[in-house]
Amino acid sequence: MSSVAVLTQESFAEHRSGLAQQEVKVAALNSEEENDPPTYKDAFPPLPEKAACLETAQEPAGAWSKIRPIKASVITQVFHVPLEERKYKDMNQFGEGEQAKICLDIMQKTGAHLELSLAKDQGLSIMVSGKLEAVMKARKEIVARLQTQASATVAIPKEHHRFVIGKNGEKLQDLELKTATKIQIPRPDDPSNQIKITGTKEGIEKARHEILLISAEQDKRAVERLDVDKVYHPFIAGPFNKLVSEIMQETGTRINIPPPSINKTEIVFTGEKEQLAQAVARIKKIYEEKKKKTTTIAVEVKKSQHKYVIGPKGNSLQEILEKTGVSVEIPPTDSSSETVILRGEPEKLGQALTEVYAKANSFTVSSVSAPSWLHRFIIGKKGQNLAKITQQMPKVHIEFTEGEDKITLEGPTEDVNVAQEQIEVMVKDLINRMDYVEISVDHKFHRHLIGKNGANINRIKDQYKVSVRIPPDNEKSNLIRIEGDPQGVHQAKKELLELASRMENERTKDLIIEQRFHRTIIGQKGERIREIRDKFPEVIINFPDPAHKSDIVQLRGPKNEVEKCTKYMQKMVADLVENSFSISVPIFKQFHKNIIGKGGANIKKIREESNTKIDLPAENSNSETIIITGKRANCEAARHRILSIQKELADITEVEVSIPSKLHNSLIGAKGRFIRSIMEECGGVHIHFPTEGSGSDTVTIRGPAQDVEKAKKQLLHLAEEKEAQVTIECTIPQKFHRSIMGPKGSRIQQITRDYGVQIKFPDREENPAPATEPAMQENGEESGEGKEAKEADPTSPKKCDIIIISGRREKCEAAKEALQALVPVTTEVEVPFDLHRYIIGQKGSGIRKMMDEFEVNIQVPAPELRSDVISITGLAANLDRAKAGLLERVKELQAEQEDRALRSFKLTVTVDPKYHPKIIGRKGAVITQIRTEHEVNIQFPDKDDDNQSQDQITITGYEKNTEAARDAIMKIVGELEQMVSEDVTLDHRVHARIIGARGKAIRKIMDEFKVDIRFPQSGASDPNCVTVTGLPDNVEEAIDHILNLEEEYLADVVDNEAMQVYMKPSAHEESKAPSKGFVVRDAPWAAGSNEKAPDMSSSEDFPSFGAQVAPKTLPWGPKR
């Protein structure tokens, strides 16, 4: 029995007084006189306003707690994917594998947080947290990627498709997001009306419902097409579209009449069906009436006058239609016909014809003869002259055609005549006082005539009050036209021709001066170049931009002046070259201060006397070299004086050693590495080599006597070693060079260290020439005969294949052998084509692992070749290991393939679909146990697939396992087939007691007797009929048990009913009128005259808490 709390008026009043801390006056039940009931606001005080909250913040809490609602920005939703609909059913991979990767990808894409859990029925529960938009996007992704997809089609009229798509596809996107489906709508050019929906069953149903709703909305609107001859469209539209607009406004129907330019006869109506029918009827009536009453006449009107009949934007035609009710049909502009057709009622055609001729003759075309060069003077500056005429006569159109000696006027006859007179007067005046002349000047001088920013030409224009027209550069024209006052034209012509002749005598010369001297010639702030320009004012000197690294200095001007300027500048450059000789003198750092002298006296004296520039290194610099710049003889003198100072101060010896000049570079080494090591080892002696290209073999060593001798011995020993060195060639095809070098050149560096040699690889040859280059001989020598022979021999090695090895002969030979040992070789292995993709592995991981492990390159043929041969390239030592490893992998894959074939054995079992739910079991428990126990996959038929046989269950796995699983299923089926169903009559009043709270009691009975018990649904014809299903013995026992329970529970029910008889109301309550319940005044429902207060005695408005309701039960207990 459940206890029910009933709220009386008194208890309600007590409850309110406790909340509001004030008395609520209510009518007492035992009072004969009725007091005024409380108002609705007193009984149910409204929630406080925002302002009120602020004012009464310090007051004690009122009737309602002042809690400000907060809308959460982050929401959480849980989605459940049943086992049957899961895409990834492998239980061993839960939390890893493809399913986890997909979830991570969804989280990254949408920004939502996902949590996966596996339910007892092996269904997948996914909790998604985040902002609403992110959660909806994540849901769509989950459905698409983790749930098996079904598809369905829905057919709606083709014209409704655009309403499903919505503006810019927004409606479709919203629908897809809301239903978590993919909706495919056929393209406009596709005649199909089928919309395809892909997603879960639930999503498909939702999307289908929404699409049909949209279509149903559009079905209320109708579309009709009416075929009306094109010639009657003007009558239906009416003048200025007034008639059709009126019909549209009255009927609320949209009417689309095709424009005259489109050759369509169909008028389209869109709107509500009834109103649309009215509009169509009215249009049809107009059409039929005009067909009967109208007739036509044809008249000839000049083609040039057609546009006047039409008028601007067709206004003239509309005016005629409005005045006379006659339609005027003009032939198209591309037609040569001059026939104009008038269509209307016979009595109105005469008036319309008059109007047509009036419009045609209201305009005229005239022309004025005027030389084309005067046109711009007639137009005036910014069109000022022409504006005066057009303002007076705005309807006149004046047209100037370039190159033609006439002006065309078009407009109303009277206005055209006035404008013509005015233009003729203007032309006559201009011819009398204007003149023009054309002169020929080579176009290459035009820019010089114009001057910088137009300075020259603007001066001539202003000075002589003329207009000078110079053709643009791209025309390459020599003609220059001068227009204006005859005297001004003559003077301008004279000056321009003088300028042109002067330019023809000009010469441009390019002078080559090394860029390093440019700054010196220009001087500080341009002082020196200004002097040169003052000396040769008619010569323009242009230096190149320093960024261009150019040595060309351009001189332009009169021929003689350019020659003089060239000689002057060449002499200046020669002096600069002579004074720019430079010599380096190594002086020990400790003697630099003595060379400088007190207050720089010594160095200043040497500079002045030798007329040289002497630069010493900074004190904190490690350099010991002093640089002397000036004339050669002066530099030598300064050098001698500086060295003599050093000699006086220290015991310095100077020795000269003869070493062949060809060895100098190799002795110095890269960036002076070798020579610097000797100098440092021998106490900082100075070793001076002659300048490159001088041909001298003399090397000077300067320093303390003992150190000089030591340095001399080391230098000569090194020279002997260098002379003993040879250079040999090692020919290896260029394609192997990278492999020989190894990662970051590690292999080649190892060989150079091990053998003490230098190895030089040739430059890569992108497009090798057919002719081969001659190979170098040892020591870099080559004979003419050998060269010719090699050029003639096609088998001679390519230059790009030759590696040069330098060092002692025996070391070079050993290094050559080591290089050749690094040349990779290739072997081929037969591997069945169908195993290639497994050898490559996912994204090439398998083949990469093997290549790294065996240090080889493995090349798999392209799939289209279908070849079984795999090539392995690498060092000979690694090839055997790699080949063995590859064949071992092939054996593994073949074993896996055989096992896969055994595991893919399929067995089909025919089982009546009514037993399928029992085989699956509650939350898939039974079928999961069979799958796990026998290690098989069991697939039930898809209920929605009509093509699939519904009684076929497919079992996949090892043959032995599938047979065991089949036997297990058939055993269950056998048991189910033995079951019987019996109906038993149980009083409906005890059903709830037998079922128990949340079906706990009935589940216990079903489990105990191994039966299925089903109770009737609410509203069933026989509410007392209960069905028990199971094995015959079990059914009998279960029926006996529940009948015993019925007897026990019925006794309680009868006792309760008997007690109710004695619990009658008191005499006082009997005499009292029925209670009206709780009553308030000024309630919201009393505001409207049609509304009334809810009836508290009505069981429909206020159903009783204690009423017995037949519970809706399921055999497996309540749904969760």
Side-chain angles (χ1 to χ4, degrees), residues 581-827:
F581 178 80
S582 181
I583 193 168
S584 297
V585 186
I587 299 291
F588 291 104
K589 194 80 177 176
Q590 63 264 37
F591 303 127
H592 283 201
K593 59 183 180 184
N594 304 93
I595 290 163
I596 293 165
K598 193 173 181 181
N602 284 358
I603 199 76
K604 192 176 179 183
K605 189 179 179 187
I606 297 168
R607 280 174 181 155
E608 286 172 0
E609 288 178 6
S610 63
N611 194 19
T612 56
K613 182 186 172 188
I614 302 170
D615 294 318
L616 283 90
E619 278 185 38
N620 54 358
S621 167
N622 293 327
S623 172
E624 296 185 335
T625 306
I626 295 173
I627 297 165
I628 307 167
T629 310
K631 289 184 181 178
R632 190 183 190 98
N634 295 349
C635 288
E636 291 291 347
R639 178 171 170 268
H640 179 72
R641 286 186 65 175
I642 288 168
L643 286 172
S644 62
I645 292 169
Q646 183 181 242
K647 240 178 187 178
E648 285 171 15
L649 294 167
D651 178 21
I652 299 298
T653 308
E654 191 174 290
V655 175
E656 288 182 351
V657 184
S658 182
I659 296 170
S661 58
K662 65 180 180 180
L663 298 177
H664 288 187
N665 282 345
S666 60
L667 287 173
I668 292 166
K671 295 180 181 177
R673 184 161 53 90
F674 293 149
I675 206 70
R676 219 172 21 252
S677 67
I678 294 171
M679 284 160 67
E680 286 168 7
E681 198 180 324
C682 301
V685 296
H686 288 152
I687 301 172
H688 179 69
F689 285 84
T691 53
E692 199 174 349
S694 64
S696 171
D697 295 342
T698 306
V699 178
T700 309
I701 306 168
R702 189 183 305 111
Q706 196 177 348
D707 293 337
V708 165
E709 198 57 40
K710 188 180 175 185
K712 181 183 173 183
K713 281 179 186 175
Q714 283 197 21
L715 197 59
L716 289 170
H717 177 69
L718 190 59
E720 279 173 29
E721 268 193 7
K722 293 288 178 189
E723 272 190 300
Q725 280 192 347
V726 295
T727 300
I728 65 167
E729 293 173 356
C730 177
T731 306
I732 294 172
Q734 191 184 36
K735 63 181 178 179
F736 299 126
H737 288 189
R738 185 173 287 180
S739 171
I740 291 167
M741 286 179 187
K744 296 181 181 176
S746 57
R747 289 177 183 162
I748 219 71
Q749 286 167 10
Q750 188 64 42
I751 292 171
T752 54
R753 280 198 297 272
D754 291 351
Y755 299 102
V757 292
Q758 285 184 336
I759 300 171
K760 188 183 178 189
F761 281 82
D763 294 330
R764 283 187 72 80
E765 191 172 37
E766 298 297 333
N767 299 309
T772 55
E773 290 284 332
M776 290 180 71
Q777 303 300 312
E778 289 187 8
N779 290 325
E781 294 168 5
E782 59 183 23
S783 66
E785 290 171 12
K787 186 178 178 181
E788 284 169 16
K790 285 193 178 183
E791 281 180 351
D793 183 8
T795 59
S796 60
K798 292 180 182 177
K799 189 176 179 181
C800 63
D801 295 340
I802 297 168
I803 300 168
I804 308 295
I805 308 169
S806 304
R808 289 190 172 275
R809 181 174 291 279
E810 63 278 9
K811 298 278 187 185
C812 287
E813 291 297 340
K816 183 178 178 180
E817 284 176 22
L819 280 176
Q820 286 169 339
L822 290 174
V823 175
V825 289
T826 302
T827 186

Side-chain angles (χ1 to χ4, degrees), residues 499-516:
L499 276 170
S501 70
R502 202 183 307 155
M503 282 170 190
E504 280 171 5
N505 291 327
E506 273 194 352
R507 186 183 169 194
T508 300
K509 187 170 183 179
D510 289 341
L511 191 62
I512 295 174
I513 300 171
E514 284 182 65
Q515 198 187 28
R516 64 193 174 110

Side-chain angles (χ1 to χ4, degrees), residues 2-286:
S2 61
S3 62
V4 178
V6 180
L7 190 66
T8 63
Q9 278 186 311
E10 290 84 0
S11 60
F12 178 82
E14 284 171 21
H15 180 65
R16 276 202 67 246
S17 64
L19 279 174
Q21 295 180 356
Q22 60 184 0
E23 282 190 23
V24 179
K25 293 179 181 179
V26 294
L29 287 170
N30 55 359
S31 155
E32 289 181 12
E33 287 181 16
E34 192 170 312
N35 295 333
D36 284 343
T39 63
Y40 180 81
K41 282 190 178 177
D42 289 341
F44 304 101
L47 288 168
E49 294 290 331
K50 190 173 181 181
C53 285
L54 296 170
E55 287 169 15
T56 61
Q58 302 302 321
E59 292 176 18
W64 307 96
S65 58
K66 300 173 179 61
I67 299 170
R68 187 175 295 169
I70 297 169
K71 190 176 179 183
S73 62
V74 175
I75 65 160
T76 300
Q77 286 191 13
V78 177
F79 305 118
H80 189 72
V81 182
L83 175 67
E84 295 76 24
E85 293 181 15
R86 276 181 59 191
K87 256 191 194 175
Y88 303 96
K89 297 179 183 176
D90 189 355
M91 303 307 165
N92 299 330
Q93 283 192 350
F94 188 74
E96 55 188 52
E98 203 61 34
Q99 197 165 249
K101 284 180 192 169
I102 288 168
C103 288
L104 283 170
D105 187 42
I106 293 170
M107 285 200 280
Q108 284 172 353
K109 268 189 189 174
T110 63
H113 179 69
L114 271 65
E115 283 184 26
L116 273 72
S117 61
L118 211 58
K120 288 180 183 176
D121 62 352
Q122 300 303 312
L124 195 65
S125 290
I126 303 154
M127 188 167 78
V128 187
S129 306
K131 292 191 175 174
L132 179 62
E133 191 183 351
V135 169
M136 295 308 285
K137 282 182 184 172
R139 174 182 173 228
K140 188 180 173 186
E141 289 279 332
I142 288 163
V143 166
R145 297 171 69 180
L146 293 179
Q147 206 161 349
T148 52
Q149 302 287 291
S151 67
T153 55
V154 58
I156 64 168
K158 186 82 179 169
E159 56 267 23
H160 295 176
H161 287 193
R162 63 195 181 93
F163 299 104
V164 176
I165 295 165
K167 192 178 179 183
N168 298 327
E170 285 173 7
K171 198 160 191 175
L172 181 64
Q173 286 172 10
D174 188 44
L175 191 58
E176 284 184 334
L177 207 60
K178 204 159 57 173
T179 60
T181 56
K182 175 70 182 166
I183 301 169
Q184 288 171 296
I185 295 174
R187 294 177 66 81
D189 51 9
D190 186 345
S192 170
N193 65 349
Q194 299 280 341
I195 295 175
K196 188 179 179 186
I197 311 165
T198 309
T200 61
K201 290 177 193 172
E202 184 192 354
I204 288 170
E205 282 305 314
K206 278 187 189 173
R208 191 170 179 279
H209 176 69
E210 290 288 336
I211 289 167
L212 289 172
L213 272 181
I214 292 165
S215 181
E217 264 180 49
Q218 296 309 316
D219 272 336
K220 291 176 187 172
R221 294 178 66 79
V223 177
E224 193 167 326
R225 290 173 169 79
L226 182 65
D227 203 43
V228 175
D229 289 344
K230 190 82 179 170
V231 292
Y232 295 105
H233 285 192
F235 298 114
I236 289 163
F240 301 102
N241 288 326
K242 284 178 186 172
L243 184 56
V244 78
S245 300
E246 189 183 315
I247 295 168
M248 282 164 67
Q249 200 169 356
E250 285 175 14
T251 62
T253 304
R254 188 176 167 195
I255 304 169
N256 183 23
I257 299 174
S261 57
I262 296 172
N263 192 23
K264 275 189 180 178
T265 58
E266 206 175 56
I267 297 174
V268 182
F269 301 80
T270 314
E272 299 289 337
K273 288 181 181 174
E274 289 178 17
Q275 294 169 328
L276 183 140
Q278 289 175 23
V280 171
R282 285 181 67 174
I283 299 284
K284 275 184 180 174
K285 188 181 175 186
I286 295 166

Side-chain angles (χ1 to χ4, degrees), residues 1035-1051:
V1035 168
E1036 288 298 327
E1037 288 176 17
I1039 288 171
D1040 289 343
H1041 181 73
I1042 59 175
L1043 287 172
N1044 290 336
L1045 288 175
E1046 179 198 25
E1047 196 177 331
E1048 183 186 328
Y1049 297 152
L1050 262 177

